[in-house]
Amino acid sequence: MTSPRMKLLLSNDDGYQAEGLATLALALSDLADLTIVAPDRNQSGASHSLTLEMPLRAGRTRDGIYYVNGTPTDCVHLAITGLLDHEPDMVIAGINHGANLGDDVLYSGTVAAAVEGRFLGLPAIAISLAGDHRHFDTAGQAIRTLFTHLAQTPLPPQTVLNINVPDVPHGQLRGFRATRLGYRHRSEPVIESADPKGRPIYWVGAPGDGQDAGPGTDFHAVENGYVSVTPLHFDLTRHAALPALGEWLPRS
Ligand code: MN
């Protein structure tokens, strides 16, 4: 007797037409039942924002992909809380066009989509291709290997995995590494320009290079040709600072 196929909800932050999302779906299509709910435009950097002041609309392509006029978090929230007629078993977000290393996870809509799945009780994975060379097939093969493994040896239900795949041909991958998040140097300065009427406009500058990027970090794994796999949790409390803060607070 074969076990029932897992039902996966796929999303991303680059929009429903993105190559990374198409690669993700293709990589998993024969391993699980897929439903795709993704933003109708690029929402990279959307972080965990939820749309509260306007209605959401969901359209559907001829291939059955849902596209929503909202953020990645909206997509996953909507999918799990009412849009779909079934509850997915897991959420996978990506394949993001670019790295989500270190501090990036707080800005990332891809990671947010995965975390929203987790907030709603599902295990979740965010996967990103760490570069601009566009070896999406490498990331596709990596998630395929990991998902096959996971179907045989499940992870605890509250797990969120943040995966970054080196942007190299698949043959050059050296394997998987469990990592912690590093962090970046301060980002590049904002880029100032002018619109056609001469009014100033600004582009947010590129993220900084890795600062805390030594052995054991996600930066280091990717730099050395490994697929970086970081388990995330979202208790942002700085527990080690609690006793000192308690001492510091005014007495009355
Ligand atoms: Mn993106």
Side-chain angles (χ1 to χ4, degrees):
M1 188 176 124
T2 57
S3 54
R5 279 157 68 88
M6 273 185 87
K7 293 193 273 297
L8 297 184
L9 171 62
L10 306 186
S11 192
N12 75 347
D13 72 359
D14 301 308
Y16 74 106
Q17 293 179 308
E19 183 180 355
L21 180 61
T23 307
L24 178 64
L26 191 64
L28 298 174
S29 59
D30 64 327
L31 300 178
D33 292 332
L34 309 180
T35 306
I36 302 177
V37 184
D40 65 357
R41 69 200 74 179
N42 192 333
Q43 291 275 3
S44 295
S47 191
H48 212 104
S49 54
L50 199 56
T51 300
L52 300 176
E53 291 291 329
M54 60 173 239
L56 296 171
R57 298 176 191 275
R60 212 167 177 193
T61 68
R62 261 179 272 174
D63 298 330
I65 297 173
Y66 292 96
Y67 53 92
V68 175
N69 62 330
T71 66
T73 303
D74 289 330
C75 291
V76 172
H77 193 93
L78 189 66
I80 297 177
T81 60
L83 178 68
L84 306 184
D85 58 7
H86 66 275
E87 172 100 1
D89 299 307
M90 177 184 262
V91 176
I92 303 184
I95 299 165
N96 189 57
H97 295 215
N100 276 309
L101 298 164
D103 342 1
D104 300 344
V105 301
L106 285 176
Y107 298 97
S108 169
T110 306
V111 174
V115 170
E116 186 63 10
R118 158 69 192 88
F119 285 170
L120 295 171
L122 304 180
I125 294 175
I127 179 164
S128 304
L129 182 66
D132 300 320
H133 300 295
R134 300 176 74 85
H135 288 102
F136 280 107
D137 55 316
T138 303
Q141 298 214 37
I143 190 67
R144 211 181 143 77
T145 303
L146 206 78
F147 181 76
T148 306
H149 182 61
L150 195 141
Q152 289 159 358
T153 314
L155 283 162
Q158 303 203 339
T159 303
V160 179
L161 296 181
N162 183 45
I163 301 177
N164 281 274
V165 181
D167 194 2
V168 297
H170 185 254
Q172 292 177 24
L173 274 191
R174 295 173 69 188
F176 293 85
R177 278 280 185 275
T179 60
R180 68 173 176 87
L181 299 179
Y183 58 84
R184 293 182 182 278
H185 284 285
R186 186 181 161 140
S187 61
E188 299 294 317
V190 75
I191 297 160
E192 186 174 353
S193 184
D195 74 6
K197 294 186 173 174
R199 297 170 297 200
I201 56 172
Y202 303 91
W203 289 101
V204 169
D209 290 332
Q211 179 173 29
D212 173 18
T217 65
D218 48 358
F219 287 95
H220 193 267
V222 166
E223 183 67 29
N224 287 280
Y226 293 95
V227 177
S228 165
V229 184
T230 307
L232 300 180
H233 73 157
F234 284 86
D235 174 1
L236 295 180
T237 311
R238 190 172 173 192
H239 289 274
L242 268 177
L245 181 69
E247 288 296 313
W248 174 85
L249 286 175
R251 290 283 168 252
S252 58

